[in-house]
Amino acid sequence: MKINTYTMPSASARLIKGYGYKYEPSKAHAIHVAEDIYKELAELVRVECEYTDQQYPTVYVECEREGVTYTAEVEMSLYFKEYREMWGTCQYLHSMAPCWTTFVAYNECGDEIATDFDLSKFHQLLR
C-alpha cells in the first residue's frame, strides 16, 4: 500500500518557481504613499470603528492629495469591554485588528495608479 506524502519544494526549486520572491512594485512607475496618508486613513478607520455596533465591520475610507485619491477598504475585528456604572453597564472599544485590506489609488481621470503602499506599516497604525 502506497501512502501519498506531500513535501515542500527544495530551496532551489522555490527560487526557480518564484516561491521565495517578494513582490516589489516598479519604483519607476509607482508613486510614493506619504506617511501622513497612512496616518489619515488609519485615523478615519478608527473613527468609523468607534461609532459602529458591529463586531466585524467593513470600513471604506478615502483621502485626497494633489489630485490623487487614496482609498482603503478594511474589514476589522473589534474587541469590546464592558464596565459597570451606577446606572447600568456600558461597552467601549478596547482594541481592533485588521483582517483584510484593499488599498487603491486613483488619478483625476479615475484610472488606477501603482503605489508603493506598505500593508504592514498601515496595519501597525491600526493596532
Side-chain angles (χ1 to χ4, degrees), residues 13-104:
R14 277 185 255 151
L15 290 175
I16 292 169
K17 293 183 179 178
Y19 285 100
Y21 180 73
K22 182 179 177 189
Y23 173 73
E24 298 265 341
S26 168
K27 302 295 182 195
H29 297 26
I31 61 170
H32 176 68
V33 179
E35 186 72 28
D36 66 323
I37 294 169
Y38 286 106
K39 289 180 180 178
E40 182 175 347
L41 289 173
E43 179 65 19
L44 290 171
V45 169
R46 187 193 61 78
V47 168
E48 289 290 324
C49 287
E50 279 187 356
Y51 293 107
T52 187
D53 57 353
Q54 302 172 354
Q55 190 171 1
Y56 302 103
T58 301
V59 179
Y60 180 83
V61 293
E62 65 179 40
C63 69
E64 187 172 347
R65 296 280 191 290
E66 300 170 3
V68 179
T69 304
Y70 301 93
T71 64
E73 185 176 358
V74 185
E75 184 177 315
M76 299 294 292
S77 179
L78 305 180
Y79 301 97
F80 296 94
K81 283 212 172 179
E82 193 173 278
Y83 64 93
R84 298 185 188 274
E85 292 287 341
M86 292 186 325
W87 53 84
T89 59
C90 297
Q91 280 190 341
Y92 68 95
L93 180 61
H94 177 262
S95 61
M96 55 190 207
C99 300
W100 171 77
T101 303
T102 302
F103 178 84
V104 182

Side-chain angles (χ1 to χ4, degrees), residues 113-124:
I113 303 172
T115 64
D116 65 349
F117 182 74
D118 186 3
L119 187 62
S120 62
K121 182 190 287 188
F122 185 62
H123 283 183
Q124 284 296 325

